[in-house]
Amino acid sequence: MILDRDGGEFARTRRLGLARLEHAVRREISRRGGLRPCLRILRRLFTALTEPAGVTAARAGALERVQLVLADWQHTQPRLDEVETRMTSVLDELGLTGLATSTPGLSAVGAAAILAQTGDPRRFTTALQGQTTDQGTRSTA
């Protein structure tokens, strides 16, 4: 937001003040689908912008890297949602969604991920065949 709004001009952000920056960041996070900012981080960021000590020339580069990470995350999130939808639809096709979600703490996505790792559970003749022992080897029961 600092790079988009102020072009990396920290003096402009400092003039905005912490309270108005917090308000602007809350609005931006809501616009991007987030819940709330980490105010501890935001306050430290504002302090860093107003602190004359340190390598001030590197601050713009650091914020640019943060901006790139956020852009990557925004680009990846819809793709992740699509993959999770496909994973749960496979679970539905196998008729395992009800069973998987009846296990406390296991979501349909989690169950689909486990299924992706173990493969078709029908290939095991007993429930013990797919388990690993404490030593990490497969049980031969």
Side-chain angles (χ1 to χ4, degrees):
M1 189 192 100
I2 294 170
L3 290 174
D4 289 340
R5 181 189 174 279
D6 297 339
E9 186 182 322
F10 301 139
R12 185 172 179 208
T13 305
R14 283 191 297 268
R15 284 191 305 272
L16 185 65
L18 180 58
R20 289 176 51 201
L21 178 63
E22 282 182 18
H23 180 72
V25 168
R26 284 180 191 275
R27 189 174 53 242
E28 181 66 18
I29 286 178
S30 293
R31 186 183 72 79
R32 294 179 185 227
L35 299 177
R36 65 186 195 287
C38 178
L39 295 179
R40 177 179 40 89
I41 294 172
L42 180 62
R43 290 175 184 139
R44 287 183 181 171
L45 174 65
F46 186 78
T47 300
L49 293 177
T50 58
E51 180 65 41
V55 184
T56 57
R59 292 177 186 167
L63 287 175
E64 185 176 2
R65 285 190 294 278
V66 169
Q67 186 179 33
L68 291 171
V69 167
L70 287 173
D72 286 348
W73 181 78
Q74 283 181 307
H75 175 74
T76 303
Q77 195 61 45
R79 294 172 60 205
L80 179 62
D81 293 341
E82 179 186 322
V83 168
E84 288 179 353
T85 299
R86 289 195 329 252
M87 289 169 65
T88 55
S89 68
V90 168
L91 205 60
D92 287 340
E93 288 172 18
L94 295 172
L96 296 173
T97 304
L99 176 64
T101 55
S102 69
T103 303
L106 185 61
S107 68
V109 172
I114 292 169
L115 182 62
Q117 288 293 316
T118 58
D120 188 350
R122 293 175 291 205
R123 69 187 172 101
F124 299 108
T125 55
T126 69
L128 293 176
Q129 271 189 300
Q131 294 181 348
T132 53
T133 64
D134 291 336
Q135 290 80 27
T137 58
R138 290 219 180 260
S139 172
T140 57

